[in-house]
Amino acid sequence: MVANEIFYIDQFRNRLNTYAPVATDTFDKLRPILRLRPVAKGEFMVRAGQTATDFHFVCEGIVASLIVNREGNTHIKNFFTPGNFAGSKASLLRSSPSSFSLQVLDAGVIISFDYKKIKRLIYDHEDLKNFYIAYLEENWVIDNEKRQLAFATQTAKERYLTFLETYPGLDKRVSQHHIASYLGVTPTQLSRIRKIVYQK
């Protein structure tokens, strides 16, 4: 049992409503498949090579999607902060092994739900369908395109400034190593970038 359960469930529901309004009777049918639980720092919610079954909502803490290459180097694809959904989307859609891992970087609380069960509810409820479409458009298309363009057109310093804007305060909650991994630079390069940014 997690303390403040009602608070976290309300947080989840309010987040759904930012995409599209979800009726009370629809949410009442969704509620039984939600699993609220604490997560520990370092915990893997899914590992690369495993087939994901659950989608997650971050109530507290920080989760990252990451890839380890053949040389053993880690690359962070995305950070998931409170109020955001996290999951291995292609693995969920295709029921295939995930190409990356989801790991907790900062202990917190998440809501997990079986992806196949929520898909069945989406098919049967127009309001959930509207949420799902809006979520896909914003997160799987628009935000993904923004990130790809940033990495293709911005300098390392500009990418760092975009990171600070996208994830306010996160630079004080995760290691510089993690930030460097996300930006595609070495920790030494990030240190130089930070000196330039903060000396002004």
Side-chain angles (χ1 to χ4, degrees):
M1 180 71 178
V2 176
N4 301 321
E5 179 175 353
I6 293 175
F7 171 79
Y8 292 130
I9 296 299
D10 284 345
Q11 181 186 8
F12 172 77
R13 183 175 182 180
N14 291 335
R15 186 60 174 139
L16 293 182
N17 288 331
T18 64
Y19 291 99
V22 175
T24 298
D25 60 338
T26 301
F27 191 79
D28 288 344
K29 293 175 182 175
L30 174 62
R31 178 67 183 86
I33 72 171
L34 304 180
R35 305 190 310 278
L36 183 69
R37 67 182 182 91
V39 288
K41 183 177 180 178
E43 177 180 337
F44 282 91
M45 292 155 62
V46 66
R47 290 180 182 270
Q50 292 180 333
T51 299
T53 58
D54 289 345
F55 206 41
H56 313 277
F57 177 76
V58 182
C59 300
E60 288 185 5
I62 301 166
V63 176
S65 56
L66 52 92
I67 298 170
V68 179
N69 64 23
R70 293 179 181 177
E71 289 74 38
N73 299 316
T74 298
H75 172 64
I76 292 182
K77 290 175 71 264
N78 285 299
F79 293 103
F80 302 99
T81 52
N84 289 288
F85 293 90
S88 182
K89 303 177 185 77
S91 178
L92 290 168
L93 285 170
R94 299 173 180 171
S95 296
S96 60
S98 177
S99 59
F100 60 85
S101 299
L102 276 179
Q103 186 177 27
V104 180
L105 300 186
D106 189 22
V109 176
I110 64 168
I111 293 174
S112 300
F113 44 92
D114 185 287
Y115 186 70
K116 290 183 178 178
K117 289 181 179 178
I118 197 172
K119 281 293 288 292
R120 285 195 287 269
L121 285 173
I122 287 169
Y123 290 138
D124 293 336
H125 296 84
E126 195 68 24
D127 48 358
L128 274 183
K129 191 178 297 181
N130 291 336
F131 149 74
Y132 189 61
I133 292 170
Y135 170 77
L136 290 179
E137 289 176 344
E138 181 175 329
N139 293 274
W140 293 22
V141 180
I142 298 172
D143 285 353
N144 186 51
E145 184 176 283
K146 285 181 182 178
R147 178 163 162 74
Q148 289 178 342
L149 285 172
F151 271 75
T153 62
Q154 292 182 339
T155 64
K157 176 188 170 184
E158 289 170 337
R159 292 201 302 273
Y160 180 64
L161 292 173
T162 299
F163 162 81
L164 294 177
E165 182 181 348
T166 304
Y167 302 106
L170 191 60
D171 59 315
K172 298 175 179 63
R173 298 185 61 193
V174 299
S175 72
Q176 297 306 301
H177 175 78
H178 286 135
I179 297 172
S181 171
Y182 172 79
L183 296 175
V185 299
T186 67
T188 301
Q189 289 171 318
L190 176 60
S191 180
R192 294 192 189 114
I193 293 167
R194 285 169 56 82
K195 285 179 182 177
I196 294 170
V197 169
Y198 294 116
Q199 73 181 4
K200 296 181 179 180

